[in-house]
Amino acid sequence: RTSLCTSNILRTSLRSLPKRPGMKRKRQHVTTSPMPRILVIFRGHMCSGKSTCFKTLQQSDKQTLPGFVFIDHVMVKNMFRKLGDAKRRENGKRWVGALADHSVCDSDVCGLLVEEISEKCLRNYMKEVPESHGFRVLEFRFTVSEEIAYLRNVERRVKRKLEPLSRENMHELRRKWTESDGK
């Protein structure tokens, strides 16, 4: 339910943005008016619906979000997991920045969705300025109560045959995320 609601909000928000001047579509099957170039960042506490929404949009048909690139920061970081936590985090940020740089410079890319990195951090690791390539940067904040987050955590981890995080552990992770938000 959360992902469908968020997907509809995102689609409505995208439609309400002004058109980018001079934008032409190469794809003839798209009959809707051209959308502006946007860079969307999904942020929020764990178990708040970011990944669900991201994956739902990523798996939607090509006509729903034509010309969009999806960058999953967690997946990129995990490519470096055997290098230790500090290098995993640093390399993840660098590679997400590099992927975003390449995407905003590509004239065929009209949208970029990035999961779980702050706008400030992303800009620190990008060499390009998205706005200079006609992109508008939007950040979507996902929120959920601690109780619902805990229940989602239990449900997800049991499905993967993992021990659920304790309420105390989740509270501590949530506190740390709130303190570091934007860094």
Side-chain angles (χ1 to χ4, degrees):
R1 182 179 242 184
T2 302
S3 64
L4 291 176
C5 178
T6 309
S7 299
N8 289 337
I9 291 169
L10 179 59
R11 286 186 190 112
T12 302
S13 297
L14 296 177
R15 287 187 198 113
S16 69
L17 293 173
K19 294 178 189 174
R20 184 168 53 107
M23 184 172 172
K24 295 179 183 175
R25 292 268 184 206
K26 291 181 182 177
R27 298 168 191 87
Q28 293 180 348
H29 66 275
V30 178
T31 58
T32 59
S33 60
M35 294 190 310
R37 297 181 89 189
I38 60 169
L39 189 159
V40 179
I41 300 167
F42 286 173
R43 296 278 293 149
H45 291 112
M46 63 186 308
C47 299
S48 62
K50 302 176 303 294
S51 297
T52 303
C53 181
F54 183 86
K55 287 174 186 163
T56 299
L57 292 169
Q58 186 179 32
Q59 293 169 357
S60 64
D61 60 51
K62 290 179 184 176
Q63 293 174 333
T64 303
L65 295 171
F68 270 68
V69 173
F70 295 83
I71 301 174
D72 184 341
H73 183 214
V74 174
M75 185 193 74
V76 173
K77 282 191 302 189
N78 286 338
M79 291 172 18
F80 303 100
R81 69 182 173 271
K82 295 192 178 198
L83 301 179
D85 193 54
K87 285 192 174 187
R88 176 186 68 89
R89 290 173 185 266
E90 181 63 24
N91 283 320
K93 293 172 189 173
R94 287 178 195 252
W95 279 86
V96 166
L99 289 166
D101 277 338
H102 180 75
S103 297
V104 298
C105 292
D106 186 333
S107 62
D108 289 331
V109 174
C110 63
L112 183 61
L113 268 74
V114 184
E115 184 186 10
E116 200 46 61
I117 190 169
S118 71
E119 180 180 346
K120 181 180 176 183
C121 184
L122 182 60
R123 287 182 184 274
N124 285 341
Y125 284 88
M126 286 181 74
K127 293 177 181 150
E128 299 293 330
V129 176
E131 291 83 358
S132 68
H133 295 279
F135 277 81
R136 180 174 173 193
V137 179
L138 302 170
E139 188 174 88
F140 280 77
R141 296 274 177 145
F142 290 73
T143 59
V144 66
S145 71
E146 265 188 70
E147 182 60 25
I148 291 174
Y150 175 74
L151 295 173
R152 286 181 180 169
N153 154 59
V154 170
E155 180 183 340
R156 289 177 183 176
R157 293 185 67 93
V158 166
K159 277 184 186 175
R160 292 187 293 186
K161 298 182 172 130
L162 298 170
E163 185 72 27
L165 298 174
S166 68
R167 289 180 191 271
E168 295 78 21
N169 193 347
M170 286 200 58
H171 178 78
E172 185 61 20
L173 289 170
R174 189 177 178 104
R175 185 189 62 75
K176 285 180 181 178
W177 186 92
T178 302
E179 285 175 3
S180 69
D181 188 28
K183 294 180 184 171

